[in-house]
Amino acid sequence: MQPKLSFDRSSGWLRVKESKKKKIFDFSSEYLNFLNACKTERESVDFIKKEAEKKGFRNINGSRKLKSGDKVFYESNSKNIFLAVVGQPKINVVVSHLDSPRLDLKPLPLIEESGIAFLKTHYYGGIKKYQWLNIPLEMRGVVMSKGKKINVSIGEKDDLYFTITDLLPHLSQKQMEKKASEFVEGEDLNMIFGNMPSDSKKKVKESMLSLLNKKYGMIEEDFVSAELELVPAFKAKDLGLDRSMMGGYAHDDRSCSYALLRAVLDSSKPKPTSIALFVDKEEIGSEGNTSAGSMHFVNFLEMLKEKCSWKERINEILISGESISADVTSAFDPFKKDVFDVNNSNELSKGVSIEKYNGSGGKYYGNDASAEFFYRIRSLANKNKVIWQTGEIGKVDIGGGGTVAVFLAKLGINVIDAGIPVLGMHSPFEVISKLDLYETYRLYRVFLNEQ
Ligand code: MN
Ligand code: MN
């Protein structure tokens, strides 16, 4: 047979049967449930741990000896979690991140201005600040008070929203002349919290403190150590009349995280040891002890090696290992052609994007997978009929970005980026294709199981 000469860039929907479309749609609706339940990294860790326990994963700290087929998890600070299914001392690792851009509260956030109580915020990750104005927000996170941890979640489920208001157009002549980056200052991202004094002697701020004390037992000082996040309150849903896409907050990177979770839960007795890492702090450069930049992964490997009685040294295990950095990438925006190279862009519904390298400018600060390793991954995808595409984040001189791939590369393990193209990335309502989510799950599943 004549080989197909050109790279297939047709829509993935034209390459799947009706029966598979149903699988894609079912998988997507399960994903939407996850996305709506988990709006912070902590909630995601809890969800992942519960699902893993249901499938027989146990805490590695409670396991003395491990053998092939055993399933373990390792959690740290309630903010990152690793899952492993034990096989040979050859590791196949996929890493995604659970944190997403958002508005955190400042240490002392509660203020009052002209009879309105506000909570002051400090944004986390790369956001376009103006996108966070006049949208429904909810508050989630944890407060430490009187020696106890209190989980806070106020919003949609309580029939209640918060918001940050923008100026009315009638008075915005000057504001509209500003550059988008200066349109709203970080110090102006103040969320409306309350407006009703409890009696004529009390200021609204005091009334809000009493309310917080009644509801959570907290005092103002407890804000200082709290981790409270403002996240979009609207629900993630199907998008488009044909329901081929999904819109929601935090597809970056919970879409890849969910694909990875399902892939590792489907691993039964993999030939290699399959490992799923769900890390925190990617959006701020992978600093901190819950990030991919910390020693946690190596510590976890040490534990596995000891409990599995592997003879190989850690550096040998790392060098013979293989890994995928499971993060989203940019999808081509047809109305912003000036920033994309149309021939080297990812497009919605053309499958999981496998990218040889990332970084910015002259490939600075990026990972670059070897020709040999990329060939192994694309051969694996082709053999399993995974629909995949490739691209660059944008035009060479325009910008760029990195993923946690660089942190795995530092350990000596082969690593390549593979994930889901996103439109409107880092906005409060990002868009992905259902088909791309499903093909990403399929790639991670075969990678974790089949080499
Ligand atoms: Mn990401
Ligand atoms: Mn991101």
Side-chain angles (χ1 to χ4, degrees):
M1 206 175 77
Q2 183 75 10
K4 205 163 171 273
L5 294 180
S6 53
F7 186 63
D8 191 352
R9 302 193 67 186
S10 61
S11 168
W13 294 113
L14 300 174
R15 298 189 243 168
V16 296
K17 294 197 188 91
E18 281 305 314
S19 57
K20 186 168 167 185
K21 274 187 197 165
K22 185 177 178 322
K23 278 190 191 164
I24 292 173
F25 274 59
D26 289 348
F27 189 91
S28 295
S29 77
E30 286 153 17
Y31 165 62
L32 286 177
N33 291 339
F34 161 74
L35 204 56
N36 285 322
C38 303
K39 293 202 177 177
T40 66
E41 62 282 18
R42 285 174 185 269
E43 291 171 351
S44 307
V45 166
D46 275 353
F47 182 98
I48 290 167
K49 189 163 77 179
K50 280 194 193 116
E51 292 301 307
E53 281 172 336
K54 275 190 226 160
K55 290 270 187 167
F57 285 75
R58 289 169 296 141
N59 193 323
I60 192 166
N61 291 315
S63 322
R64 291 184 57 203
K65 283 271 169 261
L66 295 173
K67 56 176 190 325
S68 185
D70 281 350
K71 300 170 175 188
V72 289
F73 69 85
Y74 169 83
E75 183 197 349
S76 83
N77 287 304
S78 312
K79 289 162 78 155
N80 72 6
I81 186 164
F82 304 159
L83 269 49
V85 184
V86 176
Q88 294 161 0
K90 147 83 183 9
I91 54 170
N92 281 11
V93 186
V94 185
V95 53
S96 72
H97 67 91
L98 297 174
D99 61 316
S100 292
R102 59 180 190 250
L103 305 176
D104 286 338
L105 294 192
K106 287 199 180 205
L108 287 171
L110 184 58
I111 57 161
E112 176 173 346
E113 288 289 342
S114 65
I116 305 176
F118 293 90
L119 290 179
K120 292 181 72 71
T121 70
H122 190 137
Y123 56 91
Y124 172 96
I127 61 165
K128 288 177 158 180
K129 284 170 279 183
Y130 66 83
Q131 293 180 335
W132 292 72
L133 303 177
N134 289 112
I135 59 164
L137 296 169
E138 53 187 30
M139 183 159 51
R140 299 198 182 196
V142 297
V143 176
M144 293 299 300
S145 181
K146 290 188 228 138
K148 277 192 289 202
K149 192 193 300 196
I150 304 153
N151 288 307
V152 173
S153 172
I154 327 172
E156 175 74 35
K157 69 167 176 38
D158 311 286
D159 263 336
L160 178 158
Y161 289 148
F162 299 108
T163 199
I164 296 166
T165 53
D166 192 9
L167 191 60
L168 64 169
H170 317 66
L171 299 178
S172 295
Q173 240 171 326
K174 253 195 178 155
Q175 186 196 31
M176 299 294 269
E177 281 161 19
K178 287 185 180 173
K179 289 199 297 188
S181 59
E182 295 156 6
F183 193 83
V184 50
E185 309 273 338
E187 293 299 333
D188 293 336
L189 291 175
N190 301 320
M191 183 200 87
I192 295 181
F193 194 44
N195 182 225
M196 183 165 58
S198 52
D199 64 61
S200 60
K201 287 184 218 79
K202 271 194 191 153
K203 302 207 64 152
V204 178
K205 179 181 166 177
E206 287 170 68
S207 307
M208 298 311 289
L209 281 173
S210 317
L211 255 181
L212 284 170
N213 189 262
K214 229 161 103 193
K215 201 165 160 56
Y216 299 112
M218 67 180 283
I219 56 172
E220 191 172 16
E221 187 182 310
D222 293 329
F223 271 122
V224 178
S225 52
E227 287 181 4
L228 292 170
E229 307 177 3
L230 303 183
V231 293
F234 31 61
K235 276 190 154 182
K237 297 219 187 240
D238 282 356
L239 194 101
L241 187 62
D242 56 6
R243 297 180 180 270
S244 58
M245 298 161 283
M246 292 174 284
Y249 165 65
H251 287 315
D252 179 7
D253 184 31
R254 290 187 200 129
S255 56
C256 294
S257 295
Y258 187 74
L260 172 57
L261 174 65
R262 291 287 297 266
V264 71
L265 294 184
D266 286 351
S267 301
S268 48
K269 258 203 173 177
K271 273 184 250 161
T273 294
S274 53
I275 299 178
L277 308 177
F278 302 91
V279 297
D280 179 30
K281 296 276 184 279
E282 192 277 342
E283 296 295 354
I284 55 161
S286 296
E287 305 291 348
N289 73 346
T290 51
S291 73
S294 89
M295 285 290 289
H296 272 306
F297 172 46
V298 175
N299 294 343
F300 180 61
L301 272 188
E302 295 268 7
M303 280 186 238
L304 274 179
K305 171 189 150 65
E306 195 193 308
K307 290 172 197 258
C308 296
S309 308
W310 289 341
K311 304 272 178 308
E312 292 77 1
R313 294 196 308 270
I314 289 292
N315 64 337
E316 290 172 327
I317 295 169
L318 281 166
I319 287 165
S320 67
E322 297 183 314
S323 68
I324 288 178
S325 165
D327 206 347
V328 299
T329 184
S330 65
F332 181 73
D333 181 336
F335 300 110
K336 303 284 186 297
K337 286 200 180 80
D338 53 324
V339 299
F340 292 98
D341 167 12
V342 70
N343 210 44
N344 284 286
S345 291
N346 298 292
E347 290 176 281
L348 287 190
S349 299
K350 295 194 172 174
V352 51
S353 161
I354 311 177
E355 294 181 349
K356 188 175 185 300
Y357 55 84
N358 49 34
S360 61
K363 301 190 180 179
Y364 284 98
Y365 312 113
N367 177 60
D368 192 347
S370 71
E372 293 86 344
F373 185 50
F374 196 164
Y375 181 72
R376 278 173 65 75
I377 298 299
R378 76 178 168 96
S379 303
L380 180 75
N382 290 337
K383 191 179 102 192
N384 290 281
K385 300 199 164 51
V386 172
I387 300 169
W388 66 279
Q389 58 180 323
T390 194
E392 296 193 69
I393 190 167
K395 272 188 180 165
V396 177
D397 288 333
I398 292 280
T403 64
V404 297
V406 288
F407 298 97
L408 286 170
K410 276 197 177 116
L411 300 173
I413 188 169
N414 269 314
V415 57
I416 192 163
D417 280 281
I420 297 163
V422 179
L423 274 178
M425 196 195 294
H426 286 199
S427 77
F429 198 74
E430 304 173 319
V431 174
I432 64 168
S433 149
K434 289 183 176 178
L435 180 131
D436 298 340
L437 171 70
Y438 193 70
E439 294 306 303
T440 300
Y441 151 71
R442 290 185 62 234
L443 178 71
Y444 298 164
R445 196 184 61 191
V446 293
F447 174 75
L448 289 176
N449 278 281
E450 277 193 21
Q451 288 176 80

